[in-house]
Structures are given as structure tokens and as C-alpha cells.
């Protein structure tokens, strides 16, 4: 991993990793929660985007005018706005018309300039590149997920887990949108390769929701493809095409792809709110759903006896997300609970 600029205040934090007795019981193994919902922006995006922006500010120099521009459907923009506050620099976030009033309000609370343009992320991205950046010589484009500096920031997840866990790390479960987080996790595992016992490199389960499953569609097709549209409610997973690097990592041998329904992602959020007293959005619920469905073993414990599976230590990456409230979760309960394969208490 590239070195971080030591003189800058990093706009992300080390987050706790705790064992969950409740989810461990359901999953049949030892389940740990990496609580990136506690990042300053409310999601793991603080790591990658914070790292990208910190490096960009350091490269420009202390006396340079820098203005960050980020196209986003939600969490990337919040991470950009939060990081800009930490770096004491301005940020403009461009969101599509589908972005909720909740996210818009939270962006403005952080002091960001907000533009709402276009029907989807691609339109917002074009507005940044074609309309805003050409008119601002101090403008710096902030990609939501597809850049090595972003993957370097996400790789700190693995660095922290190695220091925090006093048991072997057997697997990590994470949600996938464009691939910034899973790229960093895979990179972090590879960087620590000498630390893993022979044949014991942690497996990574990358989870998407139906309608946002561009990685899984590519895996099934055997080629890197683009979805024609995003139809899932987990809009912060709304990348119609994962990064080239994500597609390459999917063929690495220790990464698997899974898909869950919107209903299962939502009910996983509801169960998690009861068990952990933590509210997360459906994009995060996607990573929780395999554990709550009781079929995590299908991907990470095939061929193991009950005793062997019970000894496995699996981390669920609680990526967070600020696009949800208790009221929204209650609406989800009414709409989706009956459709889910996960039971509510």
C-alpha cells in the first residue's frame, strides 16, 4: 500500500471489531462485526475517499486552492463532504434526481454545495466532468470507487482486522457496488500474504442485491458486463458496472459472489437493529443477509463438519450508510417483511 501523507489529518478513523453472539448463533460460527458505520461520514467510504482527497490536497501543496467535485448517489458524496471539512477545503457534490431529500439535507448540513442533475449517476458524473470541472482551475475530481488511492484507503480495513483479532481470520463478507471496498479488502489480504498460514488465506464473499448485481452477472456470464438498469432499492450499490479491478479480483481464487433479494437485505437491517442497536441501510444489509439467512456456510464453509464450521471466524463488514432512518426502516418492515426468507422476531 502507498504511504499516507503524515502531515495531514486523516478524515477517517480506526473502527472497532466486536464478536456478535446473536449473529454467531444464527450463522453457526464465530461472527465478528467490523463497525465502519462509525466512520465520520457514517460509512466505509470515509476510508477510500478520505485517502484520495488527503493525497490530492497534499500533492497540491499547503498554499494551493483545491475544490473537490464528487458525483454520487449518496455515501460517496457524504464521505467527500465530511473529508472536505476535515481538510478545511470546499466540496461540491452532484447527485441525480433519484437522490433522497434525506441525503440532500445531510450533504448541505456538512457545508457542501449540492447540485441535483440527471436521471442517474452517469448523468451526474457527466455534469461534473463536462460542466463544472472545466470552469474551475482548482477543481479536483473525486471518483466514488474506481481509483488506486481509494483502494489503498479501503485496504486499511484488513490492516486493522489483523491487529484487532486474536483468532485466525477465515473470511470477510462485504457488500459490493462499484467495487472500491472489495478491491481494498482483496488488496489488503494480498499485501499481508506472508501472515496467512499455508492454505489459510481468508476468503471474501462479495454480496449484491438483485437489480444491482453487476459483479454476479459478470461472474455468471464469464465476462465483464454492464447492467442495462439498476432496479434494486439498495441505490448506494447502484453501479451498473463494477470496476475493471473488481472483475480481475473476482477471478483470484479466494473471492466468491453472492446475491440476495431486496427483502432479505431489508429484513437483515431490521434484525441488526434489534440485535446490535445499530441502524444501517439496505446496501449494508446485503452483507448481513447471508448470516441471518443461516446459509453463510454455503460459501465459506463448504465441506466442513459442524465442529469445523463452529470454529471459523468470519467478519461482516458493517459498511453503514446514512440513507436510512427509523421511520424508513419501519416502512421497509411493512413492505418487505412478508417477502423475506429471514424471519423477524
Amino acid at each position: 500500500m502507498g504511504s499516507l501523507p503524515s502531515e495531514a489529518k486523516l478524515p477517517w478513523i480506526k473502527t472497532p471489531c466486536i464478536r456478535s453472539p446473536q449473529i454467531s448463533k444464527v450463522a453457526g460460527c464465530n461472527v465478528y462485526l467490523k463497525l465502519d458505520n462509525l466512520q465520520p461520514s457514517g460509512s466505509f467510504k470515509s476510508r477510500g475517499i478520505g485517502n484520495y482527497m488527503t493525497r490530492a490536497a497534499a500533492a497540491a501543496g499547503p498554499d494551493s486552492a483545491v475544490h473537490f467535485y464528487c458525483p454520487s448517489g449518496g455515501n460517496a458524496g457524504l464521505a467527500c463532504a465530511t473529508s472536505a471539512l476535515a481538510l478545511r477545503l470546499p466540496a461540491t457534490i452532484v447527485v441525480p434526481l433519484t437522490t433522497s431529500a434525506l441525503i440532500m439535507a445531510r450533504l448541505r448540513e456538512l457545508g457542501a454545495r449540492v447540485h441535483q442533475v440527471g436521471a442517474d449517476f452517469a448523468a451526474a458524473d457527466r455534469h461534473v466532468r463536462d460542466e463544472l470541472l472545466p470552469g474551475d482551475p482548482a477543481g479536483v475530481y473525486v471518483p466514488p470507487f474506481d481509483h488506486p488511492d481509494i483502494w489503498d484507503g479501503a485496504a486499511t480495513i484488513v490492516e486493522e482486522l489483523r491487529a484487532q483479532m486474536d483468532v485466525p481470520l477465515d473470511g470477510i463478507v462485504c457488500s459490493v457496488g462499484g467495487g472500491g471496498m472489495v478491491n481494498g479488502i482483496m488488496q489488503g489480504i494480498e499485501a499481508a500474504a506472508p501472515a496467512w498460514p499455508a492454505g489459510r488465506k481468508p476468503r471474501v464473499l462479495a454480496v449484491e442485491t438483485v437489480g444491482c448485481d453487476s459483479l454476479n452477472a459478470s461472474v455468471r456470464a464469464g465476462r465483464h458486463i454492464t447492467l442495462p438498469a439498476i432496479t434494486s432499492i439498495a441505490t448506494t450499490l447502484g453501479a451498473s458496472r463494477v470496476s475493471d479491478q473488481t472483475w480481475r479480483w473476482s477471478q483470484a481464487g479466494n473471492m466468491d459472489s453472492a446475491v440476495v433479494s431486496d427483502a432479505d437485505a431489508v429484513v437483515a437491517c431490521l434484525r441488526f437493529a434489534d440485535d446490535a442497536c445499530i441502524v444501517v441501510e439496505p446496501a449494508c444489509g446485503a452483507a448481513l443477509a447471508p448470516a441471518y439467512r443461516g446459509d453463510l456456510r454455503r460459501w465459506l464453509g463448504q465441506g466442513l463438519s459442524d465442529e469445523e464450521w463452529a470454529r471459523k471466524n468470519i467478519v461482516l463488514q458493517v459498511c453503514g450508510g446514512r440513507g436510512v432512518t427509523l421511520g424508513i426502516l419501519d416502512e421497509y418492515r411493512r413492505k418487505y417483511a412478508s417477502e423475506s426468507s429471514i424471519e423477524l422476531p
Side-chain angles (χ1 to χ4, degrees), residues 11 16 21 66 82 91 110 122 133 146 157 168 173 176 216 239 252 257-258 266 268-269 275 295 303 315-316 329:
V66 172
T82 306
L110 292 167
L133 282 172
D146 197 359
I157 293 168
V173 184
V176 180
N216 190 261
S257 169
V266 162
C269 292
D275 289 339
D295 61 356
V315 171
L316 304 185
L329 278 185

Side-chain angles (χ1 to χ4, degrees), residues 283-342:
C284 179
L288 305 174
Y292 276 118
R293 291 196 313 201
D295 61 356
L296 195 58
R297 185 173 174 180
R298 171 183 167 190
W299 289 280
L300 300 179
Q302 278 192 346
L304 300 180
S305 68
D306 290 347
E307 293 78 12
E308 289 171 326
W309 176 240
R311 291 195 294 270
K312 291 298 181 182
N313 305 298
I314 308 299
V315 171
L316 304 185
Q317 170 62 6
V318 183
C319 60
R322 297 294 307 280
V324 70
T325 63
L326 290 173
I328 291 172
L329 278 185
D330 193 48
E331 292 176 13
Y332 285 158
R333 180 190 298 270
R334 292 193 294 270
K335 183 174 181 179
Y336 291 101
S338 63
E339 302 174 16
S340 176
S341 61
I342 302 171

Side-chain angles (χ1 to χ4, degrees), residues 48 52 55 143-153 180 183 187 243:
Y52 178 95
R55 289 181 174 176
F145 58 84
D146 197 359
H147 193 279
D149 288 349
I150 289 176
W151 311 334
D152 284 351
N183 289 354
Q187 177 179 307
S243 72

Side-chain angles (χ1 to χ4, degrees), residues 2-341:
S3 61
L4 303 175
S6 58
E7 72 279 3
K9 175 179 172 59
L10 297 182
W12 75 90
I13 62 170
K14 293 181 180 179
T15 56
C17 180
I18 61 173
R19 186 179 183 276
S20 170
Q22 296 88 351
I23 307 180
S24 295
K25 183 177 180 180
V26 175
C29 65
N30 300 306
V31 172
Y32 292 80
L33 306 173
K34 183 59 170 160
L35 298 174
D36 262 17
N37 60 296
L38 299 179
Q39 290 292 349
S41 69
S43 85
F44 77 99
K45 290 280 190 181
S46 285
R47 294 180 185 269
I49 286 178
N51 186 45
Y52 178 95
M53 291 171 61
T54 300
R55 289 181 174 176
D63 299 322
S64 299
V66 172
H67 188 131
F68 293 106
Y69 291 85
C70 181
S72 170
N75 289 319
L78 289 167
C80 178
T82 306
S83 299
L85 272 180
L87 296 169
R88 299 181 181 179
L89 292 167
T92 294
I93 315 300
V94 180
V95 298
L97 296 173
T98 53
T99 300
S100 69
L102 175 66
I103 291 295
M104 297 277 289
R106 287 180 168 167
L107 286 168
R108 292 189 172 110
E109 286 170 0
L110 292 167
R113 304 174 191 175
V114 183
H115 296 222
Q116 194 167 26
V117 176
D120 52 23
F121 169 80
D125 188 53
R126 285 194 299 272
H127 185 75
V128 170
R129 294 176 183 271
D130 298 343
E131 302 297 330
L132 299 182
L133 282 172
D136 187 351
V140 173
Y141 177 80
V142 179
F145 58 84
D146 197 359
H147 193 279
D149 288 349
I150 289 176
W151 311 334
D152 284 351
T156 59
I157 293 168
V158 179
E159 290 180 7
E160 291 173 23
L161 288 174
R162 289 183 57 215
Q164 291 169 325
M165 297 183 70
D166 57 2
V167 294
L169 172 59
D170 296 305
I172 301 174
V173 184
C174 67
S175 302
V176 180
M181 176 165 56
V182 74
N183 289 354
I185 288 173
M186 293 294 289
Q187 177 179 307
I189 289 173
E190 287 301 309
W196 315 120
R200 289 286 302 276
K201 184 186 294 183
R203 296 199 66 81
V204 174
L205 180 62
V207 189
E208 300 164 290
T209 52
V210 176
C212 281
D213 49 346
S214 54
L215 172 61
N216 190 261
S218 297
V219 170
R220 287 185 287 107
R223 58 188 178 86
H224 194 184
I225 67 173
T226 302
L227 296 180
I230 299 299
T231 58
S232 170
I233 64 165
T235 54
T236 50
L237 294 183
S240 60
R241 183 181 177 91
V242 294
S243 72
D244 291 343
Q245 183 61 46
T246 308
W247 169 238
R248 287 191 287 268
W249 279 126
S250 72
Q251 302 162 72
N254 65 318
M255 178 175 161
D256 298 296
S257 169
V259 178
V260 301
S261 67
D262 278 351
D264 281 354
V266 162
V267 175
C269 292
L270 294 167
R271 286 283 297 270
F272 193 61
D274 285 342
D275 289 339
C277 295
I278 293 173
V279 175
V280 294
E281 64 184 32
C284 179
L288 305 174
Y292 276 118
R293 291 196 313 201
D295 61 356
L296 195 58
R297 185 173 174 180
R298 171 183 167 190
W299 289 280
L300 300 179
Q302 278 192 346
L304 300 180
S305 68
D306 290 347
E307 293 78 12
E308 289 171 326
W309 176 240
R311 291 195 294 270
K312 291 298 181 182
N313 305 298
I314 308 299
V315 171
L316 304 185
Q317 170 62 6
V318 183
C319 60
R322 297 294 307 280
V324 70
T325 63
L326 290 173
I328 291 172
L329 278 185
D330 193 48
E331 292 176 13
Y332 285 158
R333 180 190 298 270
R334 292 193 294 270
K335 183 174 181 179
Y336 291 101
S338 63
E339 302 174 16
S340 176
S341 61

